[in-house]
Amino acid sequence: MPKRGCPFADAAPLQLKVRVGQREVSRGVCAERYSQEVFDPSGIVSIACSSCVRAVDGKAVCSQCERALCGRCVRTCWGCGSVACTLCGLVDCSDMYEKVLCTSCAMFET
């Protein structure tokens, strides 16, 4: 039995993957809020968090990749107590409570 043809023919739009980078985010729907969080009122650029792109409010830095972090994205390793970002921290949900492990401690846990 032959395959059925596409009922939409040429009317269907192409479904392509679109890469969204920093430039697209800064020009997008929340551009005004984004620019207020990243830029100080004086116009001086502040450092942005590597995980959520908010302005960094402290001096927290990921111990694995050394990227700047805001207070919301700081995760403390359960094993060694070092600071890890959302990319480098592994959340272990096997116990009753979640525990965050940095990449160094995660190698020894498995």
Side-chain angles (χ1 to χ4, degrees):
M1 183 175 220
K3 288 186 175 181
R4 185 175 74 169
C6 179
F8 303 111
D10 293 333
L14 294 174
Q15 296 180 358
L16 302 174
K17 292 183 180 180
V18 178
R19 183 181 177 278
V20 178
Q22 295 292 350
R23 183 173 31 173
E24 288 80 11
V25 171
S26 65
R27 295 180 183 170
V29 177
C30 299
E32 186 177 333
R33 186 183 68 171
Y34 172 80
S35 62
Q36 287 175 353
E37 290 178 353
V38 175
F39 295 99
D40 289 336
S42 61
I44 300 170
V45 178
S46 62
I47 299 171
C49 176
S50 64
S51 297
C52 67
V53 197
R54 286 187 180 90
V56 174
D57 51 0
K59 295 192 180 222
V61 177
C62 177
S63 62
Q64 305 294 311
C65 65
E66 298 181 356
R67 293 180 181 165
L69 298 171
C70 71
R72 292 183 181 178
C73 296
V74 169
R75 294 181 174 186
T76 306
C77 177
W78 183 79
C80 64
S82 64
V83 175
C85 66
T86 55
L87 298 173
C88 298
L90 175 72
V91 179
D92 182 11
C93 301
S94 61
D95 292 334
M96 189 167 98
Y97 300 103
E98 290 182 348
K99 59 182 180 181
V100 177
L101 297 169
C102 65
T103 52
S104 300
C105 293
M107 289 189 326
F108 298 114
E109 285 287 321
T110 55

